[in-house]
Amino acid sequence: MSEKILIFDTTLRDGEQSPGAALNVFEKLEIAKQLEKLNADIIEAGFPISSPAQFEAVKRISGEVNVTVAALARAKEVDIKSAYDAIRNANKKRIHTFNSTSDYHISGKFSDPRYGNTLSEKRNTILKMSYDTVQYAKSLCDDVEFSAEDAGRTDINYLAEVIEAAIEAGATTINIPDTTGYTMPKEYGKKIADLFKKVKNINKAIVSVHCHNDLGLAVANSLAGIENGARQIECTINGIGERAGNASLEEVVMALKVRKDFYDFHTDINTKEIYNTSKMVSSFTGMIVQPNKAIVGENAFAHEAGIHQDGMLKNRETYEIMSPESVGVQKTKIVLGRHSGRHGLKARLKELGYILSEAELQKAYDSFIKLADKKKEIFDDDLRTLMGDEIVPRNEFYELVYLNINSGTNSIPTATVSIKNCNAEYSDSATGDGAVDALFNAINRALNLQPNLESYQVRSVTSGREALGEVFVRIRHDNLSFTGRGVSTDIIEASGKAYISAINQQELHKAEQKNVEEEKEIIKAV
Ligand code: KIV
Ligand code: ZN
């Protein structure tokens, strides 16, 4: 029997740290339920101390899934306490605490003399701090993971010392992050092998790999770690994450499955749920999957060249190392229409990973009928898009209630909008370089805001003239990015919805910051 590799999914934590990929609580819950269906072993649900919204999301997820829920915490008691409070109700829970170990991080983050004056003094402080905080985490929760941040660039002897101390303090999983995506597969594999030689109590913990993709080597490095003794891989759906992202879950899982002859390992991932999960994450985060992305890209199973098509017809294995069905890509497209009915819609949505309450199903059905009036054939991608746009509740500060555009070859594009929130309705008009520019200017004037437009992307969800158009907008404010998404058969309306949705994310963030400031004031006053 082959050995099992644990899959630790961090889409909702490291993945959500991708610029502009912020998810709301409801989106996180849907993704967590889908990750459970995918059969991930551990779901890292967030970083509770970092914001009230993060805390709330981790808490909600903990109450609703049956898989191990991990929460991240720095090596500080207040972080660890907050992580524990957020996962307290989970059936299976893990505290994941981390501390910096590389000289780069020590000189950057521990420059204050209270940590010591020399590198050696600072290293001692970090060692003790790691021991103490793991011990504290262990007093709250049996399952404790310790990560040595920037382990990829950490001196091996010091790394071994810190890890030995963390295991002694009670850590049951030891994670070796290549935080900056710097290492080469051979080098990273050797680091893992060396730790098995140098850390006396290493057999009391599971060694985990956590690789970033700055040089495009996250998957290769993760596999090198597994070859050298690690038994847990930390990864994200579609490889999303900080900067160039993390190791992609679908790639590591399929590499181990397709090349079982080479590795002789297995995971418990239900690979047939990979495609649905990828689509859900892409749609909620607004991060479009590149067409040539391995496993889940639109072209991953497309054979264009005549010689390839001919070979495929004769024998599929000529050019295909895994079948599309094995990752959940449907061979035949299932089409729904106006007459499909509520039951048909409910059954198809369930197959796509959406389990809805009666009220949600009614909302989904109403949107489905509206769309079916405009578009005769409704494909899976249309349904996924509808789910992302209409059904998952968003924190709606503003809603676009009226929109009128005048645009033509010899006229100045002009837009008029009305936007409401719970207090009032705001209307204004503006001109612009084109219809979309005029629309965004009108929204800015109506709301008296001036966000910086970072990116605007439009795509058709399925083919055909009456296809749904999906727009992603990213705006920047105070050094933070916010993404919005809008869908309609009318691209201008979709653009307006996407822009307002990004503004809503920004407003949500402002409200959260305000709450945090107010709480601080209350604590000070007490
Ligand atoms: O990349 C990293 O070092 C991390 C840690 C917090 C585990 O994400
Ligand atoms: Zn990371």
Side-chain angles (χ1 to χ4, degrees):
M1 180 65 180
S2 64
E3 249 188 283
K4 175 172 163 169
I5 301 299
L6 293 163
I7 296 297
F8 176 113
D9 180 279
T10 182
T11 307
L12 296 175
R13 201 280 296 168
D14 224 344
E16 209 224 2
Q17 285 174 220
S18 310
L23 296 161
N24 68 34
V25 173
F26 301 96
E27 290 163 334
K28 286 186 184 177
L29 256 181
E30 284 301 310
I31 293 177
K33 288 187 208 154
Q34 179 59 29
L35 291 170
E36 185 175 30
K37 233 173 143 193
L38 183 71
N39 219 14
D41 297 286
I42 302 109
I43 297 175
E44 186 162 50
F47 189 2
I49 192 84
S50 65
S51 76
Q54 284 267 341
F55 183 92
E56 182 58 21
V58 177
K59 192 169 165 192
R60 290 283 305 275
I61 291 169
S62 299
E64 298 217 17
V65 296
N66 212 3
V67 44
T68 301
V69 179
L72 187 69
R74 285 166 300 184
K76 292 181 173 192
E77 286 204 359
V78 333
D79 278 40
I80 293 172
K81 175 75 171 58
S82 160
Y84 180 68
D85 286 343
I87 55 173
R88 190 189 281 271
N89 292 329
N91 281 344
K92 292 180 256 169
K93 39 190 162 287
R94 172 178 295 186
I95 296 176
H96 177 193
T97 179
F98 68 100
N99 210 352
S100 299
T101 50
S102 72
D103 292 353
Y104 290 99
H105 278 224
I106 295 176
S107 60
K109 292 191 190 175
F110 291 84
S111 54
D112 193 314
R114 78 190 142 111
Y115 297 113
N117 292 313
T118 61
L119 177 63
S120 150
E121 281 172 13
K122 287 179 196 293
R123 279 183 170 183
N124 281 339
T125 308
I126 289 169
L127 183 86
K128 177 157 180 350
M129 199 176 155
S130 305
Y131 181 91
D132 290 347
T133 47
V134 169
Q135 199 174 46
Y136 175 63
K138 190 73 175 183
S139 72
L140 302 173
C141 178
D142 251 4
D143 187 344
V144 176
E145 172 167 334
F146 174 77
S147 287
E149 197 187 12
D150 203 16
R153 294 187 300 171
T154 300
D155 166 70
I156 185 69
N157 291 321
Y158 179 59
L159 184 60
E161 260 185 79
V162 176
I163 286 169
E164 201 165 299
I167 298 175
E168 206 181 300
T172 38
T173 301
I174 289 294
N175 187 34
I176 311 298
D178 182 22
T179 304
T180 54
Y182 176 74
T183 59
M184 295 291 119
K186 230 177 170 173
E187 193 185 12
Y188 186 72
K190 182 170 180 313
K191 194 150 229 169
I192 303 289
D194 285 348
L195 288 174
F196 275 92
K197 287 183 207 138
K198 288 176 189 275
V199 178
K200 276 201 256 43
N201 51 6
I202 195 85
N203 292 326
K204 290 196 184 147
I206 288 176
V207 174
S208 168
V209 291
H210 176 116
C211 300
H212 280 268
N213 208 28
D214 300 65
L215 292 171
L217 293 168
V219 169
N221 282 343
S222 304
L223 295 172
I226 293 302
E227 278 179 63
N228 285 284
R231 291 295 175 263
Q232 173 178 287
I233 303 182
E234 304 200 354
C235 43
T236 60
I237 299 295
N238 301 335
I240 64 171
E242 281 278 352
R243 308 178 310 277
N246 289 59
S248 128
L249 180 146
E250 58 277 10
E251 292 176 26
V252 289
V253 166
M254 290 314 286
L256 292 175
K257 185 171 169 139
V258 171
R259 295 310 310 276
K260 191 158 188 313
D261 61 319
F262 185 80
Y263 289 108
D264 199 24
F265 292 128
H266 71 275
T267 72
D268 280 350
I269 292 295
N270 175 2
T271 61
K272 294 207 163 119
E273 288 297 331
I274 283 180
Y275 192 64
N276 278 343
T277 320
S278 159
K279 284 282 184 185
M280 186 185 278
V281 169
S282 163
S283 148
F284 288 170
T285 56
M287 297 188 70
I288 294 171
V289 174
Q290 75 195 59
N292 60 327
K293 163 89 178 59
I295 321 289
V296 291
E298 281 314 305
N299 295 347
F301 297 97
H303 300 274
E304 186 75 15
I307 189 168
H308 285 210
Q309 289 175 352
D310 185 51
M312 283 288 293
L313 288 174
K314 289 184 179 127
N315 177 3
R316 210 171 164 154
E317 283 173 22
T318 324
Y319 286 106
E320 220 167 64
I321 58 168
M322 63 195 136
S323 69
E325 298 81 44
S326 67
V327 296
V329 175
Q330 300 288 335
K331 227 182 343 187
T332 46
K333 291 217 187 296
I334 297 190
V335 184
L336 297 184
R338 205 177 189 331
H339 302 292
S340 299
R342 278 167 58 98
H343 285 302
L345 177 68
K346 185 177 176 183
R348 191 69 205 131
L349 284 175
K350 193 169 168 210
E351 276 161 20
L352 295 180
Y354 300 94
I355 299 156
L356 304 185
S357 67
E358 265 314 301
E360 286 167 340
L361 178 65
Q362 188 55 48
K363 211 170 160 204
Y365 185 67
D366 293 344
S367 307
F368 167 76
I369 287 296
K370 255 196 243 156
L371 180 63
D373 275 342
K374 295 185 189 159
K375 189 174 184 299
K376 282 190 202 68
E377 295 183 315
I378 313 267
F379 297 97
D380 287 351
D381 277 352
D382 293 320
L383 291 181
R384 288 190 179 100
T385 306
L386 268 191
M387 290 305 297
D389 188 51
E390 310 254 346
I391 312 308
V392 175
R394 278 161 200 275
N395 296 296
E396 302 279 15
F397 276 85
Y398 298 115
E399 189 190 343
L400 183 64
V401 286
Y402 172 82
L403 155 67
N404 184 38
I405 302 280
N406 276 314
S407 179
T409 35
N410 292 321
S411 62
I412 296 171
T414 312
T416 304
V417 294
S418 263
I419 299 156
K420 69 167 192 202
N421 69 6
C422 51
N423 301 321
E425 193 158 324
Y426 311 87
S427 304
D428 219 320
S429 304
T431 56
D433 275 349
V436 173
D437 190 43
L439 169 62
F440 291 178
N441 289 339
I443 294 174
N444 288 350
R445 283 179 65 130
L447 300 180
N448 197 19
L449 291 170
Q450 205 64 52
N452 207 348
L453 181 64
E454 264 193 344
S455 90
Y456 170 84
Q457 289 185 62
V458 55
R459 70 170 192 132
S460 142
V461 174
T462 48
S463 53
R465 284 176 56 181
E466 74 284 81
L468 272 182
E470 184 172 35
V471 173
F472 293 99
V473 161
R474 197 161 78 216
I475 57 174
R476 197 161 182 85
H477 176 78
D478 270 357
N479 250 350
L480 289 169
S481 296
F482 303 93
T483 304
R485 178 174 165 282
V487 174
S488 170
T489 45
D490 174 347
I491 236 28
I492 301 291
E493 188 185 338
S495 304
K497 282 175 156 183
Y499 195 64
I500 297 271
S501 141
I503 289 175
N504 283 337
Q505 297 295 332
Q506 178 187 312
E507 294 302 299
L508 174 67
H509 176 77
K510 276 194 210 158
E512 268 176 29
Q513 292 304 102
K514 200 166 155 240
N515 280 344
V516 171
E517 291 309 316
E518 280 171 5
E519 270 169 32
K520 276 191 199 153
E521 287 304 313
I522 293 170
I523 292 168
K524 249 197 237 161
V526 175

